[in-house]
Amino acid sequence: MLYNKDIDTNELMHGITKLSPEDFIALAKVLDVKMSLVDKETGEYTLRDAEEIIDDVIVAFRKLKHKERKMILKAVKNSGSRS
């Protein structure tokens, strides 16, 4: 049995494939997903792997309330359709 959260997650994953890199970065920022890590001792930035970022985007998305998920999905769908 699929629940709303699972259906929404599947829609998000499908929508991510149609996003431009700029739109994906915007989505990650909206969900407060970090694109890089900072070494506190040296102050050097290290970029994270895309797979880790996508996993964190999905985790953050699943934590949202139903209405918030629907707003994100609507924005992803509209963004993917204009590309």
Side-chain angles (χ1 to χ4, degrees), residues 6-23:
D6 297 326
I7 293 169
D8 292 349
T9 302
N10 287 338
E11 283 184 43
L12 177 70
M13 289 189 297
H14 187 269
I16 284 175
T17 62
K18 297 179 181 181
L19 291 178
S20 69
E22 295 84 8
D23 289 336

Side-chain angles (χ1 to χ4, degrees), residues 51-82:
E51 187 176 325
E52 292 174 356
I53 296 169
I54 290 172
D55 287 343
D56 287 351
V57 164
I58 291 170
V59 168
F61 177 78
R62 289 182 65 88
K63 289 180 182 178
L64 296 175
K65 294 179 182 177
H66 179 73
K67 197 171 203 175
E68 295 166 336
R69 288 194 316 267
K70 290 301 181 185
M71 288 172 50
I72 296 279
L73 287 174
K74 184 176 180 181
V76 167
K77 183 178 179 182
N78 289 340
S79 177
S81 66
R82 67 180 163 101

Side-chain angles (χ1 to χ4, degrees), residues 28-69:
K29 285 188 177 196
V30 165
L31 295 174
D32 198 29
V33 173
K34 305 297 180 206
M35 298 295 209
S36 62
L37 301 174
V38 179
D39 185 354
K40 294 186 180 191
E41 293 178 10
T42 63
E44 292 182 21
Y45 288 92
T46 307
L47 294 177
R48 298 177 64 209
D49 290 335
E51 187 176 325
E52 292 174 356
I53 296 169
I54 290 172
D55 287 343
D56 287 351
V57 164
I58 291 170
V59 168
F61 177 78
R62 289 182 65 88
K63 289 180 182 178
L64 296 175
K65 294 179 182 177
H66 179 73
K67 197 171 203 175
E68 295 166 336
R69 288 194 316 267

